[in-house]
Amino acid sequence: MRILVLGSGGREHALAWKLAQSSLVQALFIAPGNAGTQSLTLANGNKAQNIALSPNHFPSVKEALIQHRVDMMVVGPEAPLVKGITDYCREQEELKDLLVVGPDKKGALLEGSKDYAKQFMNTYGIPTASSCTFTADQYNQASQYLETLQPPYVLKADGLAAGKGVIIEPDRKTAGKSLKEMMSGKFGEAGDKVVIESFLEGIEVSVFILTDGVHYKILPNAKDYKRIGHGNTGLNTGGMGAVSPVPFADALFMKKVEERIIRPTLKGLQAEGCLYKGFLFFGLMNCNGDPHVIEYNVRMGDPETQSVMMCLQGDLAAACMSLQTGTLQNTDLTTGTDHCVTVVAAMEGYPGSYTKGHLIEGLYKVKKAEVFHMGTAEASSGRAEASSSRVVTSGRRVVTSGGRVLAVSAVGSGLVEARERAYEQLLQVKFEGMYYREDIGCDLIQEYDLIPEEKSML
Ligand code: AMP
Ligand code: GLY
């Protein structure tokens, strides 16, 4: 099987890393990929290959798919899905045998429009926060609606806003100001509609499934650390770390998630005429043991995928291929017994402005964890460096090319062990301006991981 993974982040590196382990994979392409994906080796000994293209430029994607005789494309980011890459591929005669792992435009609306997602959940009885949607010219009505809610106030730009479209304000005055900014185009077209919803109190967990639209496999769950600062302070980011699995998501909680959320969502999609093939991410709030949906994402998360792939057992390539044949149930994906902690190393300044092109040193020293590259690129010449993907390429020089640079993911038999290992291994890596949170996983360990010997290590 010949596979192309579309995207360039840590999520795509982790997906490609897992896919590369399957003996079914003959060739693996990552478009455009990063310095980490370029160094992956497949089970058959072949090297993975990056293809320089923009995931949102569909004709270039088509050309690459044809040129490299790709059987299956796994779409990493949301933007091409919301823009309709799956529908586009279906319409191309030359791509009629291609399987796209990723929903069509209709399915992608679950992430592409928060208003649509709310309507969908209300129609199909899926628990979520109560809400009301307003167009940009309805400031007064929206403002009156705010009066009916208790603080804190949750405002959401309807469209895609690179993870920045949700604002939570502590009081009525700041909420009014943010509402005005949103409606005045702060988020561009994404703010043409604004969803205002009640605040849900609880602990968050992300649940992921792979589905062919009817059957589904639950992947290891995860918790993401979205804020830039220690103790969940400061600005929102794409995610500064992730832990998998999450201790409180026990069998009883997951049973409720299946009955109240996963199955009604798939039934709803079918009723809407969407046969959803791909990953579906449920951002949930555990409110006193009852799961509520905060958001849907129509793809995997970054950096959650890094932790999820480390804990996932079984052949991901075979499971993805089975989406075409309706045989997902017969595949062997399961959650292993290990825990994983992923810590993201970012550039100083992120999520604001930051510099690029800094040399990353010590990648080859990471032996007891995986390094998943996020914003990295290969510089053309210089001193040899190698990644923990165990491929040493002479003359490789890896430099930073993004705000979130790389993630170190380590497994352990408990969260404490995994966390210790992740930080110990992260310290092997260095680049100028390197910043990371020191508290990834601490909250969960303190609250739930009650094994005495593990606690004493804290
Ligand atoms: P999102 O960009 O949709 O992932 O939202 C960002 C974050 O805002 C979520 O991860 C939650 O922490 C928080 N959030 C969103 N909606 C709510 C809500 N209704 N109640 C409480 N927190 C929320
Ligand atoms: N880490 C959050 C996301 O990928 O949406």
Side-chain angles (χ1 to χ4, degrees):
M1 168 190 345
R2 301 171 69 83
I3 304 179
L4 185 145
V5 176
L6 197 62
S8 63
R11 163 184 47 215
E12 287 75 21
H13 188 181
L15 286 168
W17 171 83
K18 185 71 185 164
L19 290 165
Q21 293 166 15
S22 167
S23 57
L24 299 172
V25 180
Q26 282 144 10
L28 181 61
F29 305 93
I30 304 94
N34 57 38
T37 58
Q38 181 78 28
S39 69
L40 283 168
T41 303
L42 313 190
N44 67 8
N46 288 347
K47 287 274 179 66
Q49 192 186 318
N50 284 354
I51 302 173
L53 56 74
S54 160
N56 293 319
H57 189 256
F58 296 174
S60 313
V61 177
K62 174 182 171 181
E63 199 184 308
L65 291 167
I66 295 172
Q67 185 190 342
H68 296 287
R69 293 175 288 117
V70 172
D71 304 301
M72 176 169 88
M73 173 166 69
V74 179
V75 184
E78 62 278 18
L81 293 167
V82 171
K83 213 177 146 203
I85 188 126
T86 304
D87 312 63
Y88 172 87
C89 290
R90 267 186 212 150
E91 287 156 13
Q92 311 300 313
E93 175 58 25
E94 302 96 313
L95 300 178
K96 65 179 187 329
D97 296 326
L98 174 78
L99 168 65
V100 180
V101 179
D104 62 12
K105 215 168 170 172
K106 181 140 201 181
L109 263 184
L110 283 182
E111 178 166 3
S113 166
K114 296 212 189 297
D115 177 43
Y116 174 85
K118 293 306 277 195
Q119 286 180 34
F120 178 93
M121 287 186 267
N122 291 333
T123 305
Y124 297 104
I126 296 158
T128 186
S130 60
S131 72
C132 208
T133 301
F134 302 91
T135 51
D137 56 358
Q138 290 180 312
Y139 176 77
N140 288 340
Q141 290 96 315
S143 194
Q144 277 164 21
Y145 182 68
L146 278 179
E147 297 293 345
T148 68
L149 301 176
Q150 297 297 318
Y153 300 95
V154 183
L155 311 174
K156 300 187 172 184
D158 174 55
L160 290 187
K164 300 199 171 93
V166 175
I167 292 180
I168 301 182
E169 294 291 3
D171 58 63
R172 177 68 188 79
K173 201 167 157 210
T174 50
K177 189 164 167 269
S178 285
L179 177 63
K180 189 149 246 162
E181 283 173 4
M182 249 185 197
M183 290 183 157
S184 316
K186 184 175 179 185
F187 297 108
E189 268 177 36
D192 285 352
K193 284 188 206 163
V194 175
V195 176
I196 301 181
E197 68 179 35
S198 55
F199 184 82
L200 293 172
E201 204 78 59
I203 319 164
E204 286 183 65
V205 57
S206 301
V207 169
F208 308 91
I209 61 167
L210 179 66
T211 179
D212 58 15
V214 179
H215 313 97
Y216 61 90
K217 286 270 181 181
I218 300 182
L219 309 183
N221 57 49
K223 177 180 157 70
D224 173 23
Y225 292 78
K226 288 206 170 76
R227 302 296 189 98
I228 189 72
H230 307 294
N232 291 324
T233 54
L235 293 173
N236 248 330
T237 70
M240 294 301 295
V243 162
S244 176
V246 178
F248 68 76
D250 55 16
L252 176 63
F253 181 79
M254 289 306 294
K255 187 163 175 268
K256 290 180 191 171
V257 172
E258 284 197 72
E259 281 170 4
R260 300 178 192 176
I261 293 169
I262 298 177
R263 287 190 205 135
T265 298
L266 292 180
K267 284 224 165 73
L269 284 164
Q270 290 158 18
E272 297 290 317
C274 169
L275 204 57
Y276 190 112
K277 290 187 199 301
F279 296 101
L280 183 52
F281 165 147
F282 304 85
L284 305 178
M285 191 70 89
N286 175 356
C287 307
N288 292 320
D290 290 323
H292 288 69
V293 177
I294 296 180
E295 60 163 349
Y296 288 110
N297 289 323
V298 295
R299 36 88 195 172
M300 293 296 287
D302 192 348
E304 295 94 323
T305 307
Q306 289 86 314
S307 283
V308 170
M309 290 300 131
M310 294 285 279
C311 294
L312 184 68
Q313 304 290 309
D315 187 330
L316 182 64
C320 287
M321 265 325 258
S322 80
L323 303 187
Q324 204 157 32
T325 47
T327 52
L328 181 61
Q329 287 317 87
N330 305 337
T331 62
D332 64 351
L333 289 189
T334 53
T335 299
T337 52
D338 278 347
H339 286 73
C340 179
V341 171
T342 294
V343 184
V344 172
M347 265 312 292
E348 209 172 79
Y350 173 82
S353 59
Y354 53 83
T355 52
K356 296 182 185 177
H358 302 282
L359 182 67
I360 306 170
E361 294 181 274
L363 289 168
Y364 68 94
K365 292 187 191 156
V366 179
K367 306 247 191 272
K368 294 186 196 149
E370 286 298 328
V371 178
F372 292 114
H373 293 225
M374 301 176 85
T376 69
E378 274 192 38
S380 41
S381 62
R383 201 148 53 80
E385 279 284 322
S387 84
S388 72
S389 315
R390 318 200 199 306
V391 181
V392 181
T393 314
S394 62
R396 272 190 95 209
R397 244 165 68 100
V398 179
V399 296
T400 70
S401 67
R404 291 190 299 165
V405 174
L406 53 85
V408 172
S409 299
V411 292
S413 54
L415 276 184
V416 170
E417 193 184 57
R419 184 175 179 278
E420 290 249 323
R421 195 166 286 154
Y423 279 101
E424 169 203 293
Q425 296 293 298
L426 178 67
L427 288 177
Q428 307 297 320
V429 181
K430 288 187 180 58
F431 54 86
E432 197 188 330
M434 175 170 160
Y435 167 82
Y436 56 89
R437 270 180 67 164
E438 284 169 20
D439 63 339
I440 304 302
C442 278
D443 52 344
L444 293 176
I445 290 167
Q446 271 154 14
E447 202 157 347
Y448 297 100
D449 215 2
L450 298 170
I451 307 165
E453 61 271 26
E454 287 218 325
K455 284 211 107 176
S456 67
M457 289 164 69
L458 279 178

